[in-house]
Amino acid sequence: TRRSSDLAGGEDRVVAEILLVQGLALYPRGELTLAEATLHEAVIAAAGAGEQGFMVDALAAVAHVSGALAGRPEEGLRWGELALALAQQLGAGGQLRRAHALRSLASVQRARGEAALAGQRLREALAVMEAELGPAHPEVVDVRAELAQLGAG
């Protein structure tokens, strides 16, 4: 039989995933305050469940929302650096999450007017994404377009 703590951990994982998906769905609709709050809840739920991968995803999203979209680049930079540090602890299995953290940091650095640093982060993310997803994947194409907009491709 499963212990109640095992069930709680599974529920926390599901809650973290649901909150992450909700937060990611909110910010493209312009609901930045609600998206940030939801993504913060996702970070906490992921930490409670021991789901470092979901923590990285949620932190990277918080970095993008707060730093690039909500006009608080210093805050976004802190969240993004934390996401990147946690992603690097995931090892080889966390490379795609690391690329997403790099992409979020690039969006924040672009908002800070640091185009060269943003381009460096995007090129690093692109190399990982191409290796993990293939050159024709939509995310890879999006990152190439972001590089072209920066003039850093």
Side-chain angles (χ1 to χ4, degrees):
T1 62
R2 297 181 70 179
R3 296 187 324 245
S4 62
S5 62
D6 291 339
L7 292 174
E11 287 174 12
D12 285 348
R13 182 187 193 285
V14 171
V15 168
E17 190 169 7
I18 289 169
L19 289 168
L20 177 60
V21 169
Q22 285 176 334
L24 292 174
L26 287 166
Y27 79 79
R29 298 186 345 210
E31 297 183 47
L32 301 182
T33 302
L34 185 55
E36 279 187 274
T38 304
L39 290 166
H40 280 130
E41 288 180 36
V43 171
I44 292 164
E51 290 289 337
Q52 192 168 333
F54 284 141
M55 284 180 64
V56 170
D57 295 342
L59 286 166
V62 169
H64 177 67
V65 173
S66 64
L69 303 179
R72 297 189 314 276
E74 295 304 317
E75 182 181 331
L77 194 61
R78 287 191 297 272
W79 290 119
E81 288 170 347
L82 179 57
L84 185 58
L86 288 174
Q88 288 170 322
Q89 290 179 0
L90 293 173
Q95 287 302 303
L96 200 51
R97 284 187 157 112
R98 182 174 156 271
H100 291 144
L102 286 164
R103 190 175 179 191
S104 289
L105 270 169
S107 75
V108 173
Q109 288 171 317
R110 184 176 183 178
R112 289 171 46 120
E114 299 170 342
L117 283 172
Q120 181 181 339
R121 300 279 192 190
L122 283 175
R123 282 189 295 276
E124 200 175 336
L126 180 62
V128 171
M129 289 178 166
E130 283 181 332
E132 296 282 324
L133 302 172
H137 191 278
E139 276 192 88
V140 172
V141 173
D142 286 348
V143 173
R144 279 200 202 106
E146 289 174 39
L147 277 166
Q149 287 174 344
L150 279 175

